[in-house]
Amino acid sequence: MSFTSYFRDRRGRQTVFQRPNLPLLAWAGFGAASSMALTPRYRTLLHRASQGSMMWWAAGETFRGRSPFRRTIGAATLMRSLRR
C-alpha cells in the first residue's frame, strides 16, 4: 500500500475531507446547545447527547469508513470516547 492510497477509497478518490454527516451535525448541535444551557441538568444531558453522537460517528467510520485513514480516525475517536 502506498502512502497516498491510505487516503483514497477503492475508486481512487481522496476521502480525507467529506461533507459532514448526520452524527457530526448532531455532535456540533448538541455541543453548541450544551454550552448555552441554562441549568446544569440540561447542560449534562446535552453534553452526553453530544458524546453519544460522536461515538455514533466514530463507530460508523470504524466499520464503514471509505478509506483506511477514515477507519483509523474513527477507531481512535471511538477508543478515546470509550475511555472517558
Side-chain angles (χ1 to χ4, degrees):
M1 176 186 313
S2 70
F3 179 73
T4 58
S5 67
Y6 186 69
F7 301 99
R8 298 188 181 278
D9 65 6
R10 291 180 180 160
R11 294 182 180 172
R13 296 179 297 188
Q14 181 266 353
T15 59
V16 174
F17 300 105
Q18 295 176 335
R19 282 184 292 159
N21 52 18
L22 181 61
L24 276 183
L25 294 174
W27 168 75
F30 286 133
S34 71
S35 68
M36 295 183 278
L38 299 177
T39 64
R41 179 180 178 201
Y42 288 127
R43 187 174 305 120
T44 300
L45 179 69
L46 291 166
H47 180 71
R48 287 184 180 165
S50 176
Q51 287 177 323
S53 298
M54 181 53 69
M55 290 175 69
W56 176 21
W57 174 83
E61 288 297 331
T62 300
F63 299 109
R64 293 177 290 146
R66 289 188 165 185
S67 69
F69 172 75
R70 298 208 36 118
R71 289 189 292 274
T72 302
I73 293 295
T77 304
L78 186 59
M79 289 186 332
R80 172 104 166 109
S81 297
L82 291 173
R83 283 185 46 204
R84 287 185 164 198

